[in-house]
């Protein structure tokens, strides 16, 4: 059976989106975590004929403003995507999550640190339509036995300007 080529998996997302984001403050800290809400835009630009793309995120809410970029790169040999995020606040790229889309659902995994502790990261893209999508990020501090949701973005496409 031929292996699926996922180089065009993000083509549906090119354009400008209104985004509502919920972020769990102080994740993996039972009893002290609270949710913050943000509204703003996400603009997705194709690069290199669609085998890479750049997401510009600009959201704000009572807890402040989050600006960042996500560089997504398609790894042809592995037929997977590398998702790399950088916050404008600190100018540093996070450790990438790696994965692919299967049956319309994107799932990406990585390893990072939180407050000096090694954690697993899972980023999922689901409920994708031409005009909407949902993005969820979760952390695990126990090797993936349990996951704590810490980022939820619900995007709705904006009409072209």
């Amino acid at each position: 059976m031929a292996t699926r080529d996922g180089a065009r998996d993000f083509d549906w997302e090119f354009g400008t989106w209104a985004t509502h984001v919920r972020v769990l403050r102080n994740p993996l800290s039972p009893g002290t975590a609270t949710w913050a809400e943000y509204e703003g835009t996400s603009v997705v630009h194709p690069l290199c004929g669609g085998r890479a793309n750049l997401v510009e995120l600009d959201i704000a809410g009572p807890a402040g403003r989050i600006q960042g970029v996500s560089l997504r790169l398609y790894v042809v040999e592995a037929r997977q995507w590398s998702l790399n995020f950088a916050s404008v606040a600190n100018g540093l790229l996070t450790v990438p999550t790696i994965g692919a889309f299967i049956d319309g659902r994107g799932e990406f995994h990585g390893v990072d640190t939180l407050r000096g502790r090694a954690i697993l990261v899972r980023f999922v893209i689901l409920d994708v339509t031409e005009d909407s999508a949902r993005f969820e990020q979760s952390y695990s501090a126990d090797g993936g036995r349990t996951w704590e949701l810490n980022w939820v973005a619900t995007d709705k496409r904006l009409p072209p300007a």
Side-chain angles (χ1 to χ4, degrees):
M1 180 167 19
T3 304
R4 183 185 162 288
D5 180 7
R8 310 303 298 191
D9 282 345
F10 282 101
D11 285 8
W12 61 271
E13 196 181 12
F14 300 150
T16 303
W17 300 77
T19 186
H20 174 82
V21 178
R22 293 178 59 227
V23 178
L24 187 64
R25 297 295 193 194
N26 209 18
L28 298 178
S29 298
T32 63
T34 59
W35 288 95
E37 306 227 2
Y38 301 85
E39 299 283 340
T41 59
S42 177
V43 182
V44 184
H45 307 275
L47 302 171
C48 301
R51 290 191 351 196
N53 61 70
L54 183 73
V55 181
E56 295 177 79
L57 179 69
D58 190 354
I59 55 176
R65 185 174 186 187
I66 299 173
Q67 291 180 294
V69 295
S70 182
L71 177 62
R72 300 167 175 159
L73 303 165
Y74 187 65
V75 183
V76 175
E77 187 175 339
R79 297 186 187 274
Q80 293 182 314
W81 284 89
S82 166
L83 281 52
N84 308 269
F85 182 79
S87 169
V88 171
N90 67 15
L92 300 174
L93 279 171
T94 60
V95 177
T97 56
I98 310 290
F101 281 82
I102 298 174
D103 297 327
R105 173 189 162 99
E107 191 160 327
F108 309 86
H109 294 267
V111 177
D112 206 344
T113 58
L114 180 66
R115 295 184 297 277
R117 172 170 70 171
I119 61 166
L120 297 179
V121 180
R122 178 178 67 198
F123 188 75
V124 179
I125 303 171
L126 60 156
D127 300 334
V128 174
T129 72
E130 187 175 309
D131 294 317
S132 64
R134 181 178 172 94
F135 305 82
E136 297 180 352
Q137 178 180 273
S138 299
Y139 290 159
S140 175
D142 61 11
R145 287 186 298 280
T146 61
W147 292 92
E148 180 181 79
L149 185 65
N150 62 50
W151 174 281
V152 179
T154 305
D155 287 10
K156 302 228 180 283
R157 185 180 298 281
L158 293 174

